[in-house]
Amino acid sequence: MTKQSRRVRNMLMRTFLSAMITSFSIFVLIVVVFAFSLEDEIFELQVRDAVERFVAENPAPQESQGTLTSLDMDYYVDTDTMPLWLQAEIDPSFRDRPFEVFGEENGHFHAYVHTLEDGRSLYILFNARRFIRSTPQIKGFLLVISSLAGLMLLASFFFLARMSRRVSGPLEHMVGVLADGESVKGRLDVPAKAPKELHALAHAIEERDARIQLLIERERQFNRDASHELRTPLAVAFGAAEVLNEKEGGSRALTRLMSAIKDMQQLTEGILWLGREPGKMQQCDISAVCTESVRAYRHLVGDRELTVHVDGLSGTQMPVPEPVAHVMIGNILRNAIAYTERGDVTVIVGEHNVSIRDTGAGFGEVDISREGFGVGLTLVKRLCDHFAVHFDLAARPEGGSIATLSW
C-alpha cells in the first residue's frame, strides 16, 4: 500500500512546523538542564566554601553538631547526632566530596563531607529549598519563550506561505498545462520571481515536448502518406478481383485474393486511424458493423462444418468511427474463423460490449501478442487503447475462446 501523495505546499509547511517544534523542544530542554545544573553548582560552591572556612577556624571541633548561623547551615561530626531520617540518607563511604540529600518534607539539602585530621567525618548541610527559584523562573522563562516562539512561527508561516506559493503555484500551472495533452509550446507561464530551478524545468519540458510533438507529427504524416498511397492501388486491385470473380463464376483462388486484399485494406485503414486523434463525438452502429463483417468473412468457412452468425441487441452504438469498428471486428472474426475447424462462431452484441465466441482451438490459451496470430490482433489492441475501448481475450471453460470489446 503506497502512501497518499502530498502537495508541495503542505510538505513545506509540515516540514517547517516539525523543524520548529523539534528545535524549540531541544532549546527548552537545554535551558532547563542548564538552569538546574547552574543552581546545583552554586549551592555546592557555597557548601564547599563553608566547609573550608569552618575547618580553618575549627580544626578539631568540640561540638558534635551545630549551626553556622551566618550561612544558615548545619554541621555534624560523624552521624551519631544526626536525625534518624538523615542518617538513613547518608552513605558512610562518602569521603571529601559534595552530595545531595532529598529529605522530602524535611528539605532539599546540598551537603559536603570532609575528613578531619583526627579521622572523623565533618558533614555540613545547607537546606536550599527556600532558596530554590529555578522552577518558577523556568516557568516564566518558558512562557516568554513560548510567546516569542509563537510570534516567530506566525511570521515564519507568513513568509513560508509566500515562498511556497512561488514554488507550488507554477508547478500546479505546469500540471494543468501538461494534463490536457496538448502542446505546451508558449503555455508554460512561469513568473519571473519563481525559483531558477522552475524556469529550468519549464524550459526542459518545452524542449522535450517539442521533440515529442515532432516525432508524433512525423509518425502521423508517415501513416497518412503510407495509408493514402496504399488505398488507391488496393481499391483498384479489389475492384479488378471482383470483376474477374464475376467472370470466372466464383473462383476459389480469386476469393482468397479478394479476402487478402480486404485484409490489407483493413490493416491500412487501422494504421491510418492510429495517426489521428480520437474524436469525442465519433460513434457507429456496431450491430450493423458486426452483421456486415459476418457477411464479408463467411466465405472463409469454406467446406468446414462451421456456422457464423450474430446475436444480441440491434442499434447499439459504439464510441468509435465505423471504419475502426470494421477493423476491430473484422480482425477478431477472421482469427476466430481461421482457428475453428467445426462448430460455430457467434458474435454477441450487448449494450456496452461485443463478444466473439468460437468453439475451436482459438487463441485464448496464448498471449494476444504471440507472433502466430499476426499483426491483426496487435492492431486491434492498439486501436482499443487509442479509442479507450477495453479488449479482453480468454479461453472458455467449455472449449474455444472468447474475445470481448467493452466500453
Side-chain angles (χ1 to χ4, degrees):
M1 183 178 181
T2 58
K3 292 183 179 180
Q4 185 178 7
S5 59
R6 300 174 180 175
R7 298 179 62 185
V8 172
R9 186 179 303 177
N10 293 339
M11 291 179 64
L12 288 173
M13 292 293 186
R14 291 180 182 179
T15 302
F16 175 77
L17 182 60
S18 301
M20 285 285 291
I21 293 176
T22 303
S23 301
F24 179 72
S25 301
I26 294 174
F27 175 73
V28 169
L29 179 62
I30 292 174
V31 169
V32 171
V33 172
F34 175 77
F36 280 111
S37 298
L38 179 62
E39 188 177 72
D40 290 343
E41 185 69 23
I42 291 173
F43 290 148
E44 288 178 4
L45 289 175
Q46 288 180 339
V47 174
R48 190 190 302 269
D49 182 65
V51 169
E52 291 177 354
R53 283 190 288 178
F54 180 82
V55 172
E57 296 173 0
N58 303 278
Q62 301 300 315
E63 301 291 337
S64 60
Q65 72 175 76
T67 303
L68 304 179
T69 55
S70 60
L71 298 174
D72 198 16
M73 297 184 187
D74 297 325
Y75 74 88
Y76 299 91
V77 179
D78 290 332
T79 61
D80 297 337
T81 57
M82 289 182 181
L84 294 179
W85 69 266
L86 184 56
Q87 291 184 29
E89 299 293 333
I90 299 297
D91 187 345
S93 64
F94 287 169
R95 290 288 185 273
D96 298 302
R97 53 162 293 182
F99 60 93
E100 287 186 71
V101 176
F102 298 93
E104 297 180 356
E105 70 276 1
N106 295 303
H108 175 201
F109 296 86
H110 283 263
Y112 194 93
V113 57
H114 175 73
T115 304
L116 299 171
E117 294 180 355
D118 56 9
R120 293 180 300 171
S121 296
L122 172 65
Y123 296 90
I124 291 185
L125 292 92
F126 173 51
N127 190 352
R129 172 164 292 177
R130 64 192 183 92
F131 296 97
I132 294 176
R133 303 296 182 188
S134 296
T135 301
Q137 287 179 355
I138 288 175
K139 289 182 179 179
F141 174 77
L142 292 179
L143 181 61
V144 174
I145 290 297
S146 299
S147 301
L148 293 176
L151 293 175
M152 292 175 60
L153 191 62
L154 291 176
S156 300
F157 265 122
F158 173 74
F159 291 106
L160 183 63
R162 292 185 58 187
M163 186 272 289
S164 62
R165 281 196 296 269
R166 290 185 180 181
V167 176
S168 62
L171 285 176
E172 292 171 359
H173 168 69
M174 291 182 189
V175 171
V177 172
L178 294 173
D180 60 16
E182 301 294 333
S183 174
V184 302
K185 184 178 181 180
R187 300 173 58 202
L188 294 180
D189 185 18
V190 180
K193 294 183 179 180
K196 292 183 179 179
E197 290 80 1
L198 291 181
H199 287 278
L201 176 61
H203 181 67
I205 291 175
E206 287 184 345
E207 287 190 344
R208 186 174 183 83
D209 180 73
R211 292 195 297 269
I212 292 175
Q213 293 297 329
L214 180 60
L215 292 175
I216 292 175
E217 184 57 33
R218 286 178 181 176
E219 181 182 2
R220 289 175 179 171
Q221 188 62 44
F222 174 78
N223 288 339
R224 287 194 293 265
D225 293 344
S227 299
H228 285 301
E229 290 296 327
L230 289 173
R231 270 179 167 179
T232 301
L234 286 174
V236 173
F238 189 79
E242 281 186 320
V243 173
L244 290 175
N245 191 43
E246 291 177 359
K247 290 182 178 181
E248 295 291 335
S251 170
R252 185 179 181 85
L254 286 175
T255 300
R256 292 180 61 187
L257 176 61
M258 291 174 61
S259 178
I261 295 174
K262 186 69 174 178
D263 293 343
M264 293 180 65
Q265 285 179 323
Q266 285 199 348
L267 177 62
T268 302
E269 193 69 30
I271 294 175
L272 178 62
W273 277 99
L274 284 176
R276 301 177 183 175
E277 285 295 327
K280 295 182 180 179
M281 302 302 294
Q282 294 173 331
Q283 59 181 6
C284 67
D285 186 346
I286 192 62
S287 305
V289 171
C290 291
T291 301
E292 185 177 345
S293 295
V294 168
R295 179 186 60 78
Y297 287 104
R298 185 171 278 121
H299 68 276
L300 295 177
V301 175
D303 300 330
R304 288 175 289 173
E305 297 178 1
L306 179 64
T307 59
V308 183
H309 59 281
V310 180
D311 287 336
L313 303 176
S314 59
T316 300
Q317 298 295 310
M318 185 177 183
V320 297
E322 184 174 334
V324 175
H326 275 289
V327 175
M328 292 178 175
I329 299 299
N331 277 281
I332 298 174
L333 183 62
R334 187 175 67 251
N335 275 274
I337 295 173
Y339 288 92
T340 305
E341 293 299 325
R342 63 175 57 87
D344 61 84
V345 175
T346 307
V347 181
I348 304 174
V349 181
E351 186 176 358
H352 297 289
N353 59 76
V354 174
S355 299
I356 300 178
R357 301 186 302 188
D358 65 69
T359 58
F363 38 77
E365 297 291 345
V366 295
D367 187 79
I368 61 173
S369 61
R370 180 177 171 182
E371 185 178 359
F373 295 115
V375 73
L377 294 182
T378 302
L379 180 60
V380 172
K381 184 65 171 62
R382 290 192 63 186
L383 286 171
C384 287
D385 293 340
H386 193 62
F387 287 92
V389 175
H390 180 68
F391 180 37
D392 182 65
L393 184 61
R396 299 172 61 200
E398 62 271 27
S401 56
I402 179 170
T404 305
L405 299 172
S406 54
W407 57 91

